[in-house]
Amino acid sequence: AKALLEQTLSEYGVRVTTTNERLKQFNSVTDTYLSIFMMLGGLGLLLGIMSFVIVIRKNLFMRHKEIALYRTLGFPERRIERILYKENIWLPLYAIVTGVFSALVSASMGFANIGGWLWLTAVLFTLLFVECTRYFVQKTIRTVMKTSGL
């Protein structure tokens, strides 16, 4: 039937394709857009992380006088570290929670189509980001405490 239709209607430019082939063509365009936006999202995430690193480090390194005042007032080193940690951990954790919540809202229409392995991956990446944030803030605070003691 395909060959007969193409032969009979060839002068009108008719080309017969299966529905499966046509859907593959449409999906290839959609997949291209999705991969482009995934790469742009990854670039945005990388820029956000680098901005976070710069802001936290700059904030902590500019507080030498405040740390010296804490020491003058008799605060133990661990107490100063805890104060600085509590002040600097809330913003990145708030950003992670906001990002995860926004992603959940944007993907809410397709929750039924999301597999279990994808949920596991999302949870593991969220925990990884939280742990990396906690580690980075602690490491930066310890570095600031060492350099401000000079």
Side-chain angles (χ1 to χ4, degrees):
K2 177 182 173 183
L4 180 63
L5 282 172
E6 282 183 348
Q7 182 182 7
T8 307
L9 301 172
S10 65
E11 61 188 56
Y12 297 109
V14 172
R15 191 179 79 200
V16 178
T17 59
T18 63
T19 306
N20 198 15
E21 290 173 8
R22 190 61 131 172
L23 285 174
K24 283 183 184 177
Q25 290 173 347
F26 286 133
N27 286 336
S28 70
V29 172
T30 304
D31 291 345
T32 302
Y33 279 117
L34 287 176
S35 64
I36 289 170
F37 286 121
M38 291 278 286
M39 291 181 60
L40 288 174
L43 180 62
L45 181 63
L46 181 64
L47 287 173
I49 290 171
M50 293 308 295
S51 299
F52 160 72
V53 168
I54 291 168
V55 167
I56 295 293
R57 287 185 67 89
K58 186 173 181 175
N59 177 28
L60 287 171
F61 278 110
M62 291 180 64
R63 296 173 72 180
H64 289 291
K65 291 180 181 179
E66 182 181 344
I67 294 170
L69 178 64
Y70 284 147
R71 286 184 176 137
T72 303
L73 292 173
F75 281 74
E77 295 292 318
R78 295 296 298 163
R79 174 94 172 140
I80 298 171
E81 286 180 11
R82 272 187 277 146
I83 290 171
L84 294 174
Y85 179 76
K86 286 180 182 178
E87 289 176 1
N88 288 290
I89 197 66
W90 287 108
L91 180 65
L93 290 182
Y94 174 74
I96 290 170
V97 167
T98 303
V100 168
F101 180 74
S102 300
L104 289 174
V105 167
S106 68
S108 65
M109 297 302 279
F111 276 161
N113 300 330
I114 298 174
W117 63 271
L118 193 58
W119 285 112
L120 179 64
T121 304
V123 168
L124 289 177
F125 270 116
T126 302
L127 293 176
L128 175 71
F129 286 149
V130 168
E131 187 59 30
C132 287
T133 301
R134 188 191 64 75
Y135 174 76
F136 171 75
V137 170
Q138 280 183 340
K139 184 177 178 186
T140 305
I141 288 171
R142 287 195 181 117
T143 303
V144 168
M145 293 297 289
K146 287 178 185 174
T147 59
S148 68
L150 298 175

